Amino acid sequence: MQRRKFLTTLGAGAAGVAAAPFVSTARAQDTIRWKMVTSWPKNFPALGTGANDFAKRIGELSGGRMQVDVYGAGELVPALEVFDAVSEGTAQMGHSASYYWRGKVPAAQFFTAVPFGMNTTETNAWLYQGGGMALWDELYAGHNLKPFAVGNTGTQMAGWFKKEIHSLEDMQGLKIRLPGLAGEVMNRIGATALTIPGSEIFTSMQTGVLDAADWVGPYNDLAFGLYQVADYYYTSAWNEPSAILEGTVNLEAWQALPDDLKVVVQEAARSANLAMIDEFTFRNAEALRTLVEEHDVQLRSLPDDVLKALAEASQKVLQEQAGSDPASKKIFDSYRDFQQQVRRYTDIGEFAYLKNRAMVG
């Protein structure tokens, strides 16, 4: 464990004095310098730049007292080792997605995306008003981590497919990149879901390792050039109706911060969360036009029998996950109850409005 090696302040360094771990962080005149490791390619649109934005906001809101250096996937640790790196203290912060840790913390999956679950607005309401953040804190405390929501992609696409899907039969044996709970659902209907880093999707599609791939949505998918390795883009969102981007802080580093800087990190996370939602809303629309009009991408919707099978399998997978351990049950019960409560208004408000808006073109 390297938890106590990383909080060195510039103030103590300038004086030539070896500072005791965490002690000097309470001095307002010192600059705290942290490392943030991420699961994204350096400066990748929205995801990588979202991590940069989070770090920048911390620096600005702290008046320069706290500086965060951001590392892309593979620069300091591999993309799928962010959780361990922050937990162990290799870096003080991480930026990733919680469903990548399903093998270590199965209940963490609920804090990225739930198939046929809540949309982005509903998800944020659960986190900030419905007790979701407290459950996330409780879950991660045992792993020496403090979590934050630091972004959301909004509703994601169902993915890129090399062949057109006409029926449930066409899904049998299909190898698709799809992590988290949705990946397990896909396995149940006869496909094979794989979890691989985003940076490997293009090559895996090109070489035949994958027949299909979920990534994010038009903005990020265009950046990866996925239209070059698959002709069909499926719009039937079911897998990630909302996808939280996770920020993590080593718990010992967090506890050592003075209270005002804890507030800085919290508010930087909250504002970075909203900023990413805004960016995806605009950029996805812009990128979708480019994909269709300039690259002749074929938009499709999954057939009804496929969606029905996915919906039925989702219910089974979620119930099984909830029954697998106490933490999963506690979190899923909270998530499900909040979804049932909030959709009473969403269905007669937002959903009804969107249907009505379609009448005016």
Side-chain angles (χ1 to χ4, degrees):
M1 301 285 278
Q2 304 176 57
R3 295 176 183 167
R4 297 194 175 273
K5 75 178 185 181
F6 46 75
L7 274 183
T8 302
T9 64
L10 294 183
V17 178
F22 308 127
V23 173
S24 59
T25 60
R27 300 174 185 166
Q29 70 271 24
D30 292 336
T31 298
I32 298 170
R33 194 161 210 108
W34 280 7
K35 297 175 183 177
M36 181 194 296
V37 291
T38 80
S39 292
W40 328 118
K42 184 72 171 178
N43 299 324
F44 186 72
L47 305 182
T49 57
N52 296 344
D53 179 56
F54 183 28
K56 181 181 178 182
R57 288 171 190 269
I58 290 172
E60 291 175 344
L61 292 175
S62 69
R65 287 172 56 204
M66 191 170 180
Q67 299 292 326
V68 180
D69 298 318
V70 181
Y71 296 84
E75 287 191 312
L76 198 59
V77 300
L80 301 185
E81 293 184 16
V82 169
F83 185 95
D84 287 343
V86 181
S87 175
E88 295 171 2
T90 302
Q92 295 90 346
M93 302 187 76
H95 194 280
S96 189
S98 65
Y99 57 17
Y100 291 144
W101 329 129
R102 61 179 296 184
K104 302 175 185 294
V105 192
Q109 298 175 92
F110 293 111
F111 293 105
T112 299
V114 176
F116 296 96
M118 291 188 279
N119 67 21
T120 301
T121 302
E122 294 168 333
T123 297
N124 277 341
W126 174 60
L127 289 175
Y128 299 126
Q129 299 293 324
M133 274 306 313
L135 292 172
W136 202 356
D137 281 336
E138 180 182 325
L139 180 67
Y140 273 29
H143 299 274
N144 199 40
L145 294 170
K146 164 69 178 171
F148 295 95
V150 292
N152 198 307
T153 67
T155 302
Q156 295 197 5
M157 300 286 277
W160 295 85
F161 290 72
K162 290 183 178 180
K163 68 176 185 179
E164 193 168 4
I165 305 300
H166 298 286
S167 69
L168 183 58
E169 183 178 356
D170 291 333
M171 300 295 293
Q172 306 310 299
L174 207 66
K175 295 172 293 184
I176 180 170
R177 186 267 181 193
L178 185 61
L181 293 161
E184 180 57 34
V185 172
M186 190 63 75
N187 289 334
R188 299 295 178 91
I189 70 165
T192 299
L194 304 173
T195 299
I196 63 173
S199 58
E200 298 177 15
I201 293 175
F202 186 96
T203 301
S204 296
M205 291 282 281
Q206 193 175 45
T207 59
V209 172
L210 293 172
D211 303 307
D214 146 90
W215 178 224
V216 181
Y219 182 31
N220 282 167
D221 296 1
L222 175 63
F224 267 164
L226 298 182
Y227 62 89
Q228 299 175 54
V229 290
D231 293 327
Y232 301 101
Y233 200 22
Y234 277 80
T235 66
S236 309
W238 66 275
N239 47 327
E240 297 189 35
S242 169
I244 303 167
L245 277 298
E246 169 188 88
T248 49
V249 177
N250 177 278
L251 191 56
E252 292 179 40
W254 172 255
Q255 292 169 342
L257 283 179
D259 289 343
D260 64 324
L261 289 185
K262 288 179 181 176
V263 173
V264 163
V265 176
Q266 289 174 327
E267 293 307 309
R270 187 76 177 260
S271 61
N273 188 25
L274 178 59
M276 188 180 290
I277 294 168
D278 295 343
E279 181 177 6
F280 269 113
T281 300
F282 173 64
R283 297 296 183 186
N284 274 336
E286 188 178 56
L288 182 62
R289 179 191 59 77
T290 300
L291 287 169
V292 173
E293 296 181 8
E294 297 182 21
H295 299 299
D296 298 320
V297 166
Q298 301 296 305
L299 294 178
R300 295 289 188 272
S301 295
L302 292 173
D304 289 344
D305 65 335
V306 173
L307 286 171
K308 181 179 178 181
L310 290 169
E312 292 174 351
S314 291
Q315 293 306 304
K316 294 178 181 178
V317 167
L318 291 171
Q319 290 297 333
E320 289 174 12
Q321 181 59 55
S324 66
D325 65 89
S328 288
K329 184 180 190 313
K330 187 175 183 179
I331 293 166
F332 178 64
D333 284 351
S334 171
Y335 185 99
R336 180 196 56 200
D337 292 347
F338 193 85
Q339 180 175 347
Q340 291 174 348
Q341 177 183 353
V342 76
R343 69 173 295 177
R344 294 170 187 164
Y345 180 71
T346 303
D347 287 354
I348 67 167
E350 294 292 328
F351 181 63
Y353 167 68
L354 291 173
K355 289 194 298 182
N356 293 337
R357 187 175 70 178
M359 293 190 295
V360 300

